[in-house]
Amino acid sequence: MNFSLKLFGRLSWLLGITLFLSCGSENGTSPSQTPGSEAILQSDSLQLDNPITKQLWNKIDSALNTSHHVMLLQPCNPDQMEAQTIALQHPEFMANGSDSLSPKPLRREIFNVYQARPQEIPQAFQQGKVYKVELYNYALNLTQTALVDLVSKQVIQVNTLKGSQPDIPLYLKDVAIQLAIHHPDVIKALGFQPGQEDALMANTKTALNHTKCERSMHLCVAPTFTKGDKALWAIVDLTDLRLVGIRWTNTGPEQPTRAVTEKRLKFEKISECYCKQMTHVQKGDWDFNYIITTSDGLRISEVKYKGETVINSAKVVDWHVSYSNTEGFGYSDAVGCPEFSQAAVVAVTEPRISSIEENNQTIGFALEQNFSSEQWPLPCNYNYLQRYEFYTDGRFRSAAASLGRGCGNNGTYRPVMRFSFPNTDYSFHEWNGNAWDVWKKEQWKLLTPQSPNYSNQYQYLLQSKSQKGLYIESGKGQFHDGGRGDNPYVYITKMHPDLDEGENDLVTIGPCCNTDYQQGPEKFINDEEIENGSLVLWYVCQMKNDDTPGKEYCWSASYLEHGVYKTRVYPCLAGPMFIPKKP
């Protein structure tokens, strides 16, 4: 999630401090702090006098005075340090480091250094020792990544993503928590002094309208505190190092507490068996590989049906969760591996394969993976499901669901799905009610229930020059899985093999809370010609949760069975079906 939330590690910061900020509204009155109220802090003070920010600003100034002007990742092991050192010597990686009108350096920091996953490493370096280095530019709000081979001592790939933010290092999570738990408005709103252990979702990125956090222009996270059936969001701007606002959301009746000693997460086996190596599946006429990524969920690749590749790769890049259409706040969630990953919601079970039955006949099989917060189903904890369906007749579906309950009963969930295709001569067609219209250039569109359907079923068509291809059918509640419709934004972009535009693991590419097409994939739309080319489909579903008794959706609730609490989930599966088109 993109207030990024890591549940591991702690920093030793000075405790017992009091922070001072003007929290009056524009008319000079103090905002109400009762549950259900909201407040935006208007002060632009950088809180230079408190020990936490003073220490960090000193470190930032020291880094700006080094030869490379970059704050390094600390602590780190020798391989991580060597990868950073090599990356900092590469001109392309070090670009965008100074003001355009002066030689003054911009604030930059290496957030993460980790061993690259197999799918990220070019074939020529598969036998090397490759690390991925992520550099965040606070001033320009962009991320640069470098793949570094420690064997050949060289940078083998550099990529730049504008308007994007990596998952934050653990020390910044702790900075955000300390700024939140010692702020007088947070203490007043809760009615008590929260502890560091009370903060949830502290490393998950967020946005907040009417501040610089809006549309993620600044790096912002939101330590969240539950109180009864409500949650208080303390929104911290890590670019300016200050608390900028607080928000209350309704979480529904509080769930029973789980024992903290429960051993539910099989981190080591999942990491070793499913994160560090590909798993190959050959079942019936289907053949593919899968791996749990660092931040893009469960990724499948090299998907073949009867020996012919139909999908290069498919995955869920981000989960955007918005809790207000007007106030614009929520989370951008990354899901991925439980260890050596910056994902906020992690894999908690091994991937599983099950058969798909219809009328007592097996018509296919499904690959599923759950990603869950450690204390789910307590409020402000999340559980996501990814599901890939493979049918004996050649159909394929990618679906995703929230299993609740999250941080509120008014959330909209937007999983950002990405699909790349093997054909280099594909064209993308849209049914206009009478014929197929070809999209000439990269673009996006909102698909609604009123959109016309070919044969009352398909809205889009990917087709090659040989007339073979794939029909695309969006979810409208017809898949008998409880889904109520995808309501998706659909984007088509051109595939660039020489650029990292999502084929490898992506940092968070979009803000949590935009209610329009600006979900992240639009960053890759450059008005390029796409007819008869290599294409990427981005598909962003929109699912609104509901806690109304008898109508629950994207929700979870506890119930008693044999005297013990169990959890009932109300998933909201959404995602497109791909159907083969013959010549």
Side-chain angles (χ1 to χ4, degrees), residues 71-88:
M71 184 180 291
L72 300 182
L73 177 69
Q74 294 288 352
C76 59
N77 60 41
D79 284 343
Q80 290 174 311
M81 180 57 72
E82 184 179 9
Q84 291 182 94
T85 302
I86 294 173
L88 291 174

Side-chain angles (χ1 to χ4, degrees), residues 371-562:
F371 300 89
S372 179
S373 302
E374 186 175 9
Q375 298 184 59
W376 182 86
L378 296 181
C380 288
N381 287 267
Y382 292 76
N383 192 328
Y384 297 122
L385 171 70
Q386 261 187 274
R387 176 179 170 92
Y388 296 108
E389 299 173 353
F390 306 87
Y391 293 88
T392 55
D393 59 7
R395 289 177 295 152
F396 161 76
R397 187 184 179 212
S398 174
S402 169
L403 306 186
R405 109 176 359 211
C407 261
N409 59 359
N410 63 336
T412 299
Y413 292 82
R414 296 181 176 92
V416 181
M417 300 180 179
R418 183 187 186 276
F419 307 89
S420 68
F421 304 94
N423 296 62
T424 58
D425 65 343
Y426 260 153
S427 292
F428 190 74
H429 305 252
E430 178 185 2
W431 184 251
N432 66 14
N434 298 300
W436 291 106
D437 288 336
V438 179
W439 285 19
K440 301 290 186 180
K441 293 185 177 182
E442 295 176 319
Q443 60 180 290
W444 65 270
K445 188 161 189 177
L446 174 62
L447 193 60
T448 69
Q450 291 72 42
S451 300
N453 302 317
Y454 174 69
S455 296
N456 295 318
Q457 191 171 6
Y458 316 126
Q459 297 84 29
Y460 298 112
L461 167 65
L462 280 162
Q463 184 170 262
S464 67
K465 290 181 179 180
S466 66
Q467 304 300 303
K468 293 178 64 176
L470 295 168
Y471 291 112
I472 301 172
E473 179 182 6
S474 68
K476 301 181 288 291
Q478 77 278 31
F479 293 132
H480 308 296
D481 55 12
R484 299 178 184 176
D486 296 352
N487 308 303
Y489 286 102
V490 177
Y491 314 71
I492 288 291
T493 61
K494 187 175 182 179
M495 178 80 168
H496 295 99
D498 57 332
L499 298 177
D500 187 3
E501 295 182 327
E503 199 64 20
N504 296 327
D505 288 4
L506 272 175
V507 298
T508 302
I509 61 171
C512 62
C513 309
N514 288 346
T515 58
D516 59 8
Y517 74 96
Q518 297 180 85
Q519 301 297 323
E522 75 282 353
K523 299 180 190 298
F524 305 109
I525 295 178
N526 300 303
D527 202 35
E528 292 185 83
E529 299 282 347
I530 59 171
E531 194 172 3
N532 300 319
S534 297
L535 303 182
V536 176
L537 169 69
W538 305 79
Y539 191 94
V540 182
C541 309
Q542 303 186 92
M543 302 99 80
K544 178 74 169 63
N545 73 355
D546 192 346
D547 67 342
T548 305
K551 298 181 180 180
E552 294 91 344
Y553 196 57
C554 302
W555 197 248
S556 64
S558 291
Y559 66 97
L560 278 172
E561 183 174 289
H562 304 302

